[in-house]
Amino acid sequence: MKIDKKIAISLYYSMLRIRMVEEKIVELYSEQEMRCPVHLCIGQEAIAAGVCVNLLKKDYLFSSHRSHGHYLAKGGDLKQMLAEIYGKATGCSKGKGGSMHLVDLSAGILGTTPIVAGIIPIATGAAFGTKMKDEGNVTAVFFGDAAAEEGVFFESLNFASLKKLPVLFICENNFFSVYSPLSVRQPEKRDNLSLAKSLGIKGAKGNGNDVFEVYKLAKKAILNIRKGKGPYYLEFDTYRWREHCGPNFDNDLGYRTERDFLKWKKKCPIGLFEKKLIDCGILNSSQIKSLKQDIREEINDAVSFAKNSPYPESKEMLSDVYAD
Ligand SMILES: Cc1ncc(C[n+]2csc(CCOP(=O)(O)OP(=O)(O)O)c2C)c(N)n1
Ligand SMILES: [Mg+2]
């Protein structure tokens, strides 16, 4: 593996931090102090990390309901994210949005929303805006395999291609929409990449559990966009480990098999990359231990901040969240 040491460590750190934040949410969720639903991306961290390491601060990011990883990888403030999940006034949406409405304007995170596919045209519009103003930002939008079934997906790709917009579409294919597998939702031979190409959009598919592969494909895509060559479509296969919504495992429900789950667990994006980094001599086990300790402390601080923050006042109920 030929990889720049600094990039390798930042990819690893980014994935590990996302995993540890979400594991903390798992640990604390049963206290019933977080009163909003959470859609965890444990198992899918490589896509957020591999794409976002290529983005600049001024670039824009949009995502959907499963967005903690995207928010953190793009540089969103951890304290404000946890405070938001705890419904506190110090949260990134002032405690009114919860886990599915993450925003950090200072990090270029313009928004995440839970309406499946609803964010795709919003991101496309933002990219249109930056192009009209000649601002030179790239806009990245993450969405799931089910979002690619909604009408706005096609409209957005069509418009982005027509106007050569600086937008990166990233489909995270985890094979399920809640409990429905692809086989009951899409014709067998459907291929989103061919659909994108038929609209004149370049793209690629990759292994979403291999962070280095994601990184390389995203790097190429983002360079293409920065050169003014128009939109790009990326699709990555991956697997969510936990239930669709919530902190538990749900393999007992029968919509997917324990065998499949274990097969994907063996392809843990963090475990596999960690082994590579150790084999290449980029990190050793004591450095990994100390990285984990640093992240643990950061998370504990952020949890205390969130828990000790006040709830929004009732007079705030109808005020504009992002006005100032
Ligand atoms: C328009 C719309 N329809 C249905 C839902 C309910 N819903 C929430 S998440 C989800 C599944 C989305 O699947 P996918 O886009 O593949 O993302 P994943 O959850 O797998 O990450 C559904 C159907 C919704 N939020 N919005
Ligand atoms: Mg899905």
Side-chain angles (χ1 to χ4, degrees):
M1 182 178 68
K2 269 198 182 155
I3 185 166
D4 177 86
K5 189 174 167 183
K6 221 169 122 199
I7 288 173
I9 294 174
S10 77
L11 288 170
Y12 175 70
Y13 173 83
S14 178
M15 289 194 292
L16 186 64
R17 184 163 171 266
I18 296 168
R19 172 76 56 94
M20 289 175 69
V21 168
E22 291 211 322
E23 293 287 6
K24 193 68 177 179
I25 293 172
V26 167
E27 184 191 318
L28 299 174
Y29 202 74
S30 61
E31 292 179 347
Q32 302 241 18
E33 286 182 37
M34 298 175 198
R35 302 304 294 156
C36 68
V38 285
H39 299 77
L40 303 179
C41 70
I42 296 175
Q44 306 189 179
E45 299 91 342
I47 305 172
V51 170
C52 290
V53 90
N54 290 293
L55 294 173
L56 305 174
K57 196 171 177 189
K58 70 168 188 172
D59 292 331
Y60 290 155
L61 180 141
F62 291 86
S63 178
S64 57
H65 54 287
R66 201 175 302 287
S67 61
H68 302 160
H70 309 134
Y71 174 96
L72 292 171
K74 179 70 170 65
D77 185 275
L78 173 62
K79 285 185 173 164
Q80 287 185 33
M81 181 183 105
L82 287 178
E84 190 55 42
I85 296 175
Y86 275 96
K88 299 298 182 75
T90 52
C92 59
S93 292
K94 296 192 178 162
K96 298 180 189 179
S99 156
M100 296 184 280
H101 297 91
L102 302 180
V103 176
D104 188 337
L105 300 182
S106 66
I109 301 162
L110 298 203
T112 72
T113 62
I115 305 299
V116 170
I119 205 69
I120 304 175
I122 294 172
T124 306
F128 192 27
T130 62
K131 176 147 187 176
M132 285 171 79
K133 291 198 214 152
D134 206 13
E135 287 177 338
N137 331 39
V138 169
T139 293
V141 56
F142 292 87
F143 50 89
D145 44 293
E149 289 155 15
E150 298 282 348
V152 287
F153 169 73
F154 303 92
E155 296 169 36
S156 300
L157 262 62
N158 181 72
F159 188 72
S161 179
L162 177 72
K163 299 286 182 188
K164 283 206 172 351
L165 299 183
V167 54
L168 174 60
F169 299 100
I170 309 125
C171 178
E172 298 183 323
N173 179 16
N174 62 11
F175 306 99
F176 289 92
S177 168
V178 191
Y179 307 132
S180 306
L182 283 172
S183 60
V184 303
R185 298 165 17 225
Q186 299 181 8
E188 202 183 334
K189 296 232 160 83
R190 175 176 163 158
D191 175 18
N192 291 331
L193 182 56
S194 307
L195 283 170
K197 287 188 172 165
S198 76
L199 292 166
I201 297 180
K202 284 192 183 139
K205 284 202 232 184
N207 174 358
N209 281 34
D210 178 341
V211 73
F212 192 46
E213 183 169 323
V214 176
Y215 162 75
K216 282 189 295 185
L217 289 175
K219 184 176 176 180
K220 185 175 169 200
I222 290 167
L223 271 178
N224 226 271
I225 297 171
R226 285 204 204 285
K227 283 185 193 153
K229 294 189 177 172
Y232 211 97
Y233 177 86
L234 291 176
E235 183 168 307
F236 296 106
D237 289 352
T238 187
Y239 203 77
R240 90 175 130 73
W241 288 11
R242 300 211 172 230
E243 58 190 337
H244 165 68
C245 177
N248 302 310
F249 292 102
D250 69 353
N251 299 330
D252 55 311
L253 293 182
Y255 73 98
R256 58 186 198 178
T257 63
E258 185 74 13
R259 208 164 143 241
D260 259 0
F261 168 70
L262 293 172
K263 190 184 88 191
W264 278 96
K265 246 191 122 180
K266 275 198 192 144
K267 297 193 249 180
C268 170
I270 302 174
L272 291 176
F273 197 58
E274 184 178 289
K275 189 175 176 313
K276 274 188 191 163
L277 295 188
I278 293 172
D279 291 349
C280 296
I282 291 179
L283 280 178
N284 61 37
S285 53
S286 81
Q287 288 166 319
I288 289 173
K289 214 170 143 195
S290 115
L291 261 186
K292 286 185 181 169
Q293 185 53 29
D294 291 349
I295 298 173
R296 203 170 292 124
E297 282 169 19
E298 185 203 1
I299 294 173
N300 288 340
D301 270 1
V303 169
S304 303
F305 170 81
K307 285 193 169 203
N308 293 324
S309 289
Y311 287 105
E313 290 182 38
S314 52
K315 68 172 192 236
E316 279 276 308
M317 191 142 70
L318 299 175
S319 66
D320 193 332
V321 174
Y322 309 115
D324 41 64

